[in-house]
Amino acid sequence: MIRFDNVAKRYPTGREGLAGVSLQVEPGELVFITGHSGAGKSTLLKLIGLLERATRGQVWVNERNLNRLKARDVPYHRREVGMIFQDHRLLADRTVFDNVALPLVVAGMGHQEIQRRVRAALDKVGLLGKERSQPITLSGGEQQRVGIARALVSKPPVLLADEPTGNLDPELSREIMELFLQFNQVGVTMLIATHDVDLIQGFGKRIVQLREGRILHDSGAAA
Amino acid sequence: MKRDTQPGGFRRHHNPLTWLAWHAQNALASLGRLARQPLATLMTTAVIGIAIALPSGLYLLVDNVRELTGNWDGGSSISLFLTDDIDDRKAAVVRDTLARRSDVGEARLITRAQALEEFRRRTGFGEALDLLDRNPLPAVILIRPATFASSAADTERLAKELEQYREIALVRVDLQWVRRLEAITQALERGILVLAGLLSTAVLLIVGNTVRLEIQNRHHEIEVVKLVGGTDAFIRRPFLYEGLWYGLLGALIALLLVTLGLGLMQGPVQRLAGLYASDFQLDLLTSGTFLSVLAGGPLLGLTGAWLAVGRHLARIQPE
């Protein structure tokens, strides 16, 4: 599903995000990416979502070589990759419903289908009663759930989460992670970047540890 | 996992109905956004309206002047003073000959007796004329060129030809003012063209700047939309509609201003025309001007928005 071939990313500032990473993620796999801040976790996810482009090596997602993807195709690629951020990136002036509906609206989906899917997504994250609320009136955990609902509402084959529990207390973090495990059970390929090693240890999922832009340890590298 | 696309390719064509619905929705949403800040919208559209109204109004005024010169008895006239030896009968023959020319629209004979009578009536020198033993005034034929030959140049050519007639002592062309008026009208038209060009640029800049500010205000929203797979066309559309609405509202304000302005001038112009014994009236908006303002305004707005959007949207990328 996702393949990195000796990928490096150097930012215009000179900072090295990734320094040669090869990685293969099978369809339906859930992989935790860990490491200290600056180890390259975010860069790795950004390359998959095409928020950045690799300076060396090749990134394949969904049998598509991202290096060769034209700028005008980037939006269509992003529709197949749901992204979840630590800071949620919600629109403060729109309701929870409108925030979650956004990926469907940009994809040109019909009104009724949007209604149905947004409700289903909000139901999955346990926020069905909050459709008309403004994000700002919700707690941090609830806002993160809205962000998650938005990422999965269009049923993308790939879901990325960059420090999704960064601002949450341990209990809420655990709830969010268990939510992700549920999605993974229905076949979504997931990459979750987190520095919270204690939290993910017990899940029995593959863990890729990065350090200074390289893979330090991979608990379950595909052969 | 069910997918809408094949590996390597993307599905990008939409149902035309969905596409139309998007546009309608975008148009309404943009209008709604303008309506939510009525004061700011009114100020922007008023500036656009004034910028469009100025050249349009001036153009209509010049158009009226041109109409006026065109209607002024064919624009020019020629007075032919006949020689002394021509009596009324011969004069009538000359008149008939001239009237048969195709480039002559009308030829009117004023006999010596009629000329004397008119002079007496108009000047009050009747007693002085009585002292003279004979009528000193020549017979006059007034020529109005045919409509197709009424321009200054045509009239002059006709006058040259009429000078060849033996019966005609003097040809006087009343042309100078027509020429001047023509020249003034042309100069004014050129000036208005320059003004229209400048003010159109101003409209482009106003709309462009307004849209640029709007893009900056919605920076975060644009980032998020790009993040969830919004295409450039999708992001561009509301801003383009915004420009379109600014242009259209500006055009409507311009039409209102022009109608009001010309309406206010109607009274004084009629009084002025009355002094010249004319029933001239200012033509208000012609359908041609109406339509070009109504089409030109939105077009300018759209172009202004397009320029701003093209420059500023590409710079906003999610991180």
Side-chain angles (χ1 to χ4, degrees), chain A residues 143-154:
Chain A
Q143 289 189 32
Q144 189 55 282
R145 286 160 186 267
V146 176
I148 293 168
R150 185 182 67 191
L152 62 86
V153 72
S154 56

Side-chain angles (χ1 to χ4, degrees), chain A residues 65-81:
Chain A
N65 185 343
L66 297 193
N67 297 40
R68 295 212 198 116
L69 208 62
K70 295 189 185 86
R72 64 190 197 106
D73 284 330
V74 169
Y76 298 93
H77 168 71
R78 288 198 186 131
R79 289 177 195 180
E80 296 181 1
V81 179

Side-chain angles (χ1 to χ4, degrees), chain A residues 46 51 62-64 69 73 75-80 83 85 89-91 94 102 105-108 150 155-157, chain B residues 1 3 5-12 14 18 22 220-221 223-231 234 317-319:
Chain A
K46 281 178 182 176
L51 302 185
N62 227 345
E63 294 158 62
R64 213 174 269 133
L69 208 62
D73 284 330
Y76 298 93
H77 168 71
R78 288 198 186 131
R79 289 177 195 180
E80 296 181 1
M83 285 180 265
F85 302 89
R89 308 231 180 146
L90 301 177
L91 297 178
R94 302 202 192 177
L102 197 60
V105 172
V106 302
R150 185 182 67 191
K155 300 181 184 165
Chain B
M1 173 120 304
R3 282 177 40 208
T5 54
Q6 298 293 313
F10 293 108
R11 192 180 71 106
R12 47 176 96 242
H14 298 283
T18 317
W22 277 5
H220 175 63
E221 179 184 343
E223 254 185 39
V224 171
V225 171
K226 284 195 174 183
L227 213 53
V228 299
T231 56
F234 179 90
Q317 292 296 343
E319 289 168 8

